[in-house]
Amino acid sequence: PGRAAYVCPKQECIAKALAKETLAKALRLKVRLPGAELFASRLAAAIKEKIRSLLSISMKAGKIAAGNSAVGGRLGTGRVQLVLLVGGLSLGTSGRIATQGFESFRRATLFTRDEFGSMLNRELVGIVGILDQGLADAPWSETQRLKGLINISN
C-alpha cells in the first residue's frame, strides 16, 4: 500500500515539515523534497483544481448563479449559500454588491476573472453564487485552505 502524511496547508507548516525532514520521517522513506515555495505552489494549484471540480459539479447540478444580476436576483429568495468573487472588482460592481447585501453571506475572493472564466467556461464573470448548502460547503472549505496557504485575509 501507498504511504501518506498530512501537512497543514500553511506556509509555516510546510517550511517546518520540509526543513527538518519531518515529512520523510513520517513517510518512512528517503525522498527528494522540493523547496517550501515550490511545494506550496503545487499545493495551491491542487486546491484550485479541486475548487474548479467542485464548481463544475455545482454547474452540472444546475446550482450555480453566475454574474451580478443572476446572483443578486437569487439573494432575495435565500437560495445563495456561498458567494465567490474575483479579485479586483470595479468600484461600480463592488458598490452594487454592497447594496445587495452580499456581505452577510459566506464569501471568498481568491480568483481572477480569467480563472473564473476558465472554471465556468464563460468570460467576464466577477461573481458566482452556489445555490445549495451541501454543494457550497466543500468549495468554502477549500477556499479557506487556500487562503491559509497564500495568506489572504478576506
Side-chain angles (χ1 to χ4, degrees), residues 32-134:
R32 200 170 123 231
L33 299 171
E37 191 173 304
L38 178 60
F39 187 95
S41 70
R42 287 180 180 170
L43 181 56
I47 293 170
K48 283 185 177 185
E49 184 55 38
K50 185 170 183 181
I51 294 169
R52 181 187 323 267
S53 296
L54 292 166
L55 288 177
S56 177
I57 290 168
S58 296
M59 282 179 51
K60 288 178 183 175
K63 299 295 182 179
I64 289 270
N68 191 40
S69 59
V71 175
R74 287 179 176 84
L75 279 174
T77 65
R79 292 181 59 203
V80 177
Q81 302 298 316
L82 173 63
V83 175
L84 299 173
L85 305 162
V86 299
L89 283 175
S90 69
L91 290 176
T93 301
S94 297
R96 283 192 303 274
I97 288 169
T99 62
Q100 291 175 332
F102 288 116
E103 273 70 28
S104 64
F105 290 87
R106 291 187 301 180
R107 68 186 194 288
T109 305
L110 292 170
F111 303 103
T112 65
R113 282 193 188 273
D114 290 339
E115 288 172 323
F116 252 173
S118 74
M119 286 180 198
L120 301 170
N121 296 320
R122 288 182 54 180
E123 291 184 24
L124 302 175
V125 175
I127 182 168
V128 170
I130 299 179
L131 309 176
D132 179 86
Q133 182 68 45

